[in-house]
Amino acid sequence: KTHAVPLTIDEFMTAQRFYPIVFSSGENPVPLALMGLNEGINTVLDTEGKLIGEPYIPAYARRYPFLLAKLREDAQELSLCFDPTAEAIGLFDDGDALFEPAGEGGERKPTQIVTDILKFCEEFEQSGARTTAFVGELVEHKLLMEGEISIQADGIEAPFIYRGFQMVNEEVLRDLRGDVLRKMMQSGLLPLVFAHLFSLALARDIFSKQVAQGKMELPKAA
């Protein structure tokens, strides 16, 4: 049922081929990949939760049911945690073990799978920090504005209007000082902005998928 999934800037270039990339509203915007335009509609998964085709899946979703979190507010280190309600983890006869058999001292070391999961989650956190810095620059230069996407469906007189997100203001972008633009280009931030802007054209494709998959009904034309 999730229609918007958080995205890191390291994924922009790949994700912009599959999803519109927008920013959440509020004081602390987060980049989002739109898997659907309407709340509760996901065009990537069918009704049984199976993937439709071979879309790119954001790291935020791929890391599930694991994540890094502080066990205490004053803790400096992050610990590898998991969602205890996830059906993928349990006392099963089949599957991949998370710990090696107990040794002589009774200790059970994590398997390579857990080590790899930990590394993936650490890389995700680092990417998240870079993403926060990127969004911070957009906010600093007042590049974000309340967004609106208008889609005209065939045979329907009134367009479908989608709001409730933020997007880069192209007019403000064009009016930035040359030294600011040069700095953004040298740091690699400017290509990310264009990836976001180019991806917005996919909104109509997502809209069409919602209709084609029977997840959204259009009003009958007069």
Side-chain angles (χ1 to χ4, degrees):
K1 301 296 183 181
T2 300
H3 75 289
V5 177
L7 202 65
T8 67
I9 57 173
D10 294 334
E11 304 174 275
F12 269 37
M13 295 308 174
T14 300
Q16 58 99 18
R17 295 160 41 207
F18 297 89
Y19 311 109
I21 300 173
V22 299
F23 298 86
S24 61
S25 296
E27 295 182 359
N28 299 302
V30 175
L32 300 170
L34 295 183
M35 297 183 173
L37 299 185
N38 292 67
E39 191 168 350
I41 295 181
N42 187 312
T43 61
V44 174
L45 303 171
D46 62 20
T47 54
E48 296 180 353
K50 306 286 187 181
L51 282 175
I52 300 174
E54 297 181 355
Y56 174 76
I57 303 300
Y60 180 89
R62 280 185 282 128
R63 68 174 180 162
Y64 183 82
F66 297 95
L67 77 157
L68 292 179
K70 290 184 178 181
L71 298 187
R72 303 183 313 276
E73 288 188 7
D74 59 344
Q76 297 298 319
E77 71 282 353
L78 297 174
S79 299
L80 184 63
C81 306
F82 69 92
D83 181 355
T85 67
E87 297 179 358
I89 299 179
L91 298 174
F92 306 128
D93 293 330
D94 298 322
D96 300 314
L98 300 181
F99 293 92
E100 303 286 358
E104 294 181 1
E107 295 183 358
R108 302 187 66 191
K109 295 183 178 180
T111 61
Q112 185 62 43
I113 291 173
V114 173
T115 302
D116 292 342
I117 291 171
L118 176 59
K119 181 180 178 182
F120 181 82
C121 289
E122 288 175 339
E123 291 174 347
F124 178 81
E125 291 296 325
Q126 294 166 2
S127 184
R130 291 191 290 272
T131 302
T132 300
F134 164 69
V135 175
E137 288 212 34
L138 297 183
V139 173
E140 178 185 350
H141 297 297
K142 298 179 173 57
L143 281 168
L144 292 180
M145 68 175 185
E146 290 301 315
E148 179 177 297
I149 295 176
S150 176
I151 297 178
Q152 186 69 57
D154 295 337
I156 307 298
E157 183 176 350
F160 288 82
I161 307 295
Y162 292 95
R163 301 186 181 93
F165 63 92
Q166 296 188 76
M167 59 187 288
V168 168
N169 187 326
E170 294 187 60
E171 290 186 11
V172 176
L173 180 64
R174 284 194 296 267
D175 292 339
L176 284 178
R177 298 196 319 266
D179 60 325
V180 175
L181 283 171
R182 184 168 61 254
K183 180 182 176 182
M184 292 179 66
M185 185 65 188
Q186 291 172 343
S187 65
L189 297 186
L190 197 56
L192 297 173
V193 170
F194 286 123
H196 148 66
L197 291 173
F198 292 152
S199 75
L200 297 177
L202 293 177
R204 186 173 182 85
D205 294 343
I206 298 296
F207 181 89
S208 298
K209 287 181 180 179
Q210 292 185 167
V211 177
Q213 294 173 8
K215 297 175 180 177
M216 174 184 179
E217 289 189 12
L218 295 178
K220 294 181 180 180

